[in-house]
Amino acid sequence: MIEFKVGGIVGAFGDSLYPSRGFTAHLTEDWAEFTIDLTASDLKHLIGGFAWVASKDRNPKGATFYLDEIRFESE
């Protein structure tokens, strides 16, 4: 399991998007598309533009994954 997130950096120069938005994905061997909904999010100042988190507790045998076409879109 890998957690993906946007925003959430705190401090004097932190993100305007707080708390972070994201989700935890249960990845398989097949490619899949995931979306983080940023509707009505304050994106004026964003230094934590994209992050992923993997932990030994959730991935005791390790984890290998690939990312492609990460993008921000608006309507």
Side-chain angles (χ1 to χ4, degrees):
M1 292 191 304
I2 308 294
E3 183 180 355
F4 297 99
K5 58 173 93 176
V6 174
I9 305 294
V10 297
F13 301 102
D15 290 328
S16 56
L17 175 59
Y18 185 83
S20 65
R21 308 288 189 277
F23 63 92
T24 300
H26 300 269
L27 302 178
T28 68
E29 293 181 4
D30 298 319
W31 282 95
E33 182 174 318
F34 299 101
T35 301
I36 299 174
D37 185 4
L38 298 175
T39 303
S41 297
D42 183 357
L43 303 176
K44 287 185 282 188
H45 185 260
L46 194 63
I47 61 173
F50 179 76
W52 58 267
V53 179
S55 70
K56 185 175 181 179
D57 291 339
R58 290 184 169 182
N59 303 284
K61 295 180 181 179
T64 300
F65 63 97
Y66 301 92
L67 302 173
D68 190 25
E69 296 187 35
I70 299 169
R71 62 193 182 273
F72 284 77
E73 297 178 345
S74 64
E75 295 181 8

